Amino acid sequence: MEQITVTAKIQISAASDDKGLLDETMSVYTDACNYVSDYVFHTHDLKQFSLNKVLYATLREKFRLKSQMTQSVVKTVIARYRTILENQKEWIKPFFKKAQYDLVWNRDYSLTQNCFSVNTLKGRVKLPYFARGMSKYFDSTIYKFGTAKLVKKQGKYFLHIPVTYDMEESNLCDICNVVGVDRGINFVVATYNSKHKSGFVSGKAIKQKRAHYSKLRKELQMCQTASARRRIKTIGQRENRWMQDINHQVSKALVENNPKHTLFVLEDLSGVRNATERVRTKDRYVSVSWSFYDLEQKLIYKAKQKQSSVIKVDPRYTSQCCPVCGHMERANRNKKMHLFCCKNCGYQSNDDRIGAMNLYRKGINYLEDSQVPDTVTAE
Ligand SMILES: [Zn+2]
């Protein structure tokens, strides 16, 4: 069994009175987090027990927090420091900027089919919410709710709830479909599956948008003012979010358009010299490795939820090898004409398909190899 956690997002419906109360609670919660963050930064104490002992009374008096909320504040700050220490390996003081509120299941909040009940500075409040897509999670024998996060975006309140459940681990002998997934620039992905069908997601719009961002960045870089630097940062963040959203949609479609127990085969780009594929588009280069990696992570995560698997295979020769006879020769591929023509058997195809077909074939080989029982081979 494998444990899977998905994040369910619901929108809370709040009347103006409740809005005021939620705002106040979130804002005070955030202030309290910064207070504790400051203390931890000076003492390097990350133990819930001792932090509670020192800070509990102050937090309750100074911030008028309920007992349970006090505990959650301390937990939130500890968790944030742990992440920072793990990633940055040093003590950096986190600042809690956005109003937020971390809610422990059954203590700070509870959820029924039609009601969200939450602890506030003035006690418990019950609020309706938009339950679309949520009802399936109410089977408590399967799904467990974790510590949720209440956030406010553009005047609306959302609750992000981690939902954990057990899933039968995907087994190679259950695989019923193999899909070669070739990531690229002209096509975000080209695919080839067990039904011998190819699929393409065009990369044209993405190429144009990235060119637009890059041009904007260049113009701003010439300015060299503080505000230009700020804008460069904002644009970078916006571009990342936009790219992540595309990867989300592409990986979602890949998983949804294929049956359960599918084996997705990707190129392993981690060891390749040109892992940062630099592709010339007109007069500039785009680096795409970050985005490739992001797509990979999203596909792995989503595939798991459908008992499917992702493997990564040696990327060498995937564009030069003939998927029919296996003949390998650089001249098989005519890059300019976007044409693949095997010098041995004469097989012809669009060259963007070839990568996906070869990955598919490597996936089939992988399955065959893994079915060979462990036997002692005679010398
Ligand atoms: Zn051939």
Side-chain angles (χ1 to χ4, degrees):
M1 283 291 191
E2 190 172 10
Q3 216 170 47
I4 291 187
T5 302
V6 294
T7 305
K9 292 175 185 170
I10 54 171
Q11 190 188 334
I12 308 298
S13 157
S16 57
D17 281 4
D18 299 325
K19 277 185 183 174
L21 187 54
L22 285 181
D23 283 345
E24 198 194 350
T25 306
M26 286 165 83
S27 152
V28 170
Y29 189 90
T30 310
D31 290 345
C33 283
N34 282 319
Y35 179 82
V36 175
S37 172
D38 202 47
Y39 177 83
V40 171
F41 186 68
H42 288 108
T43 57
H44 289 191
D45 183 0
L46 280 179
K47 285 185 214 74
Q48 173 97 17
F49 181 78
S50 60
L51 286 174
N52 267 338
K53 209 168 146 191
V54 181
L55 298 171
Y56 184 82
T58 322
L59 284 171
R60 292 213 57 179
E61 273 164 35
K62 190 173 159 77
F63 298 96
R64 295 172 297 129
L65 290 177
K66 302 271 172 199
S67 163
Q68 177 52 38
M69 286 173 78
T70 312
Q71 314 264 355
S72 293
V73 163
V74 173
K75 270 189 196 149
T76 299
V77 176
I78 292 174
R80 186 70 73 89
Y81 268 103
R82 290 243 158 89
T83 312
I84 291 172
L85 286 170
E86 205 169 288
N87 295 331
Q88 322 275 339
K89 316 273 181 232
E90 59 177 320
W91 289 88
I92 298 169
K93 185 161 81 174
F95 179 66
F96 295 80
K97 196 161 64 178
K98 280 186 199 146
Q100 64 158 35
Y101 180 11
D102 289 350
L103 309 152
V104 177
W105 169 246
N106 263 344
R107 294 197 182 196
D108 300 310
Y109 84 107
S110 64
L111 206 65
T112 61
Q113 293 273 11
N114 45 32
C115 173
F116 165 55
S117 167
V118 58
N119 242 341
T120 69
L121 295 174
K122 296 202 174 104
R124 267 193 182 262
V125 176
K126 287 182 175 172
L127 301 167
Y129 67 93
F130 300 98
R132 205 169 65 95
M134 193 63 207
S135 58
K136 61 171 181 265
Y137 295 127
F138 281 101
D139 185 341
S140 63
T141 58
I142 302 175
Y143 300 103
K144 304 266 175 288
F145 293 166
T147 297
K149 201 179 266 301
L150 184 65
V151 293
K152 189 179 182 184
K153 268 184 192 160
Q154 283 148 5
K156 293 172 184 158
Y157 301 86
F158 296 92
L159 190 66
H160 298 179
I161 314 154
V163 183
T164 305
Y165 60 98
D166 286 328
M167 171 77 101
E168 201 94 35
E169 254 170 274
S170 54
N171 211 327
L172 278 185
C173 53
D174 295 328
I175 296 292
C176 65
N177 179 38
V178 176
V179 185
V181 182
D182 191 21
R183 293 164 286 181
I185 301 294
N186 287 327
F187 295 100
V188 182
V189 290
T191 60
Y192 189 83
N193 67 18
S194 289
K195 286 185 175 153
H196 307 293
K197 283 238 156 63
S198 326
F200 300 97
V201 177
S202 169
K204 206 174 160 194
I206 291 171
K207 226 155 97 176
Q208 281 166 357
K209 188 133 187 180
R210 291 192 88 139
H212 161 78
Y213 276 125
S214 150
K215 190 167 159 250
L216 213 61
R217 244 197 307 272
K218 248 189 208 143
E219 284 165 11
L220 286 166
Q221 265 156 7
M222 307 241 233
C223 296
Q224 295 196 328
T225 60
S227 87
R229 273 194 292 277
R230 268 200 305 277
R231 280 216 58 202
I232 289 174
K233 199 178 160 197
T234 319
I235 288 168
Q237 285 167 343
R238 196 184 306 152
E239 186 180 4
N240 283 358
R241 273 200 304 273
W242 161 79
M243 198 61 231
Q244 282 185 31
D245 187 51
I246 290 190
N247 284 338
H248 166 71
Q249 288 169 35
V250 170
S251 55
K252 189 175 168 198
L254 279 172
V255 170
E256 278 179 0
N257 296 337
N258 283 288
K260 257 188 185 183
H261 304 299
T262 287
L263 180 71
F264 294 98
V265 189
L266 300 178
E267 286 183 310
D268 185 354
L269 297 173
S270 53
V272 187
R273 188 165 51 91
N274 286 332
T276 308
E277 187 178 339
R278 307 200 74 174
V279 183
R280 204 177 154 81
T281 52
K282 283 185 189 151
D283 57 343
R284 65 196 187 85
Y285 291 92
V286 276
S287 103
V288 286
S289 69
W290 169 82
S291 167
F292 281 9
Y293 178 74
D294 181 59
L295 178 65
E296 187 177 302
Q297 294 304 305
K298 288 187 162 65
L299 183 63
I300 291 171
Y301 174 75
K302 292 185 170 74
K304 254 190 205 169
Q305 294 168 38
K306 249 179 117 182
Q307 282 160 289
S308 293
S309 309
V310 177
I311 56 161
K312 293 189 279 180
V313 297
D314 187 346
R316 277 176 298 172
Y317 314 118
T318 39
S319 60
Q320 299 166 16
C321 181
C322 172
V324 176
C325 73
H327 176 67
M328 201 130 54
E329 190 180 332
R330 184 166 289 182
N332 281 350
R333 182 186 189 192
N334 184 335
K335 265 193 178 177
K336 257 198 189 133
M337 304 283 288
H338 283 293
L339 191 73
F340 180 94
C341 180
C342 177
K343 297 288 176 201
N344 179 47
C345 73
Y347 177 77
Q348 276 197 22
S349 175
N350 175 305
D351 71 343
D352 284 308
R353 256 178 104 218
I354 296 297
M357 286 177 89
N358 279 321
L359 288 171
Y360 164 79
R361 194 177 44 81
K362 286 186 180 184
I364 296 286
N365 289 348
Y366 174 84
L367 285 182
E368 280 169 359
D369 289 350
S370 62
Q371 271 159 13
V372 177
D374 291 330
T375 48
V376 182
T377 45
E379 296 276 316

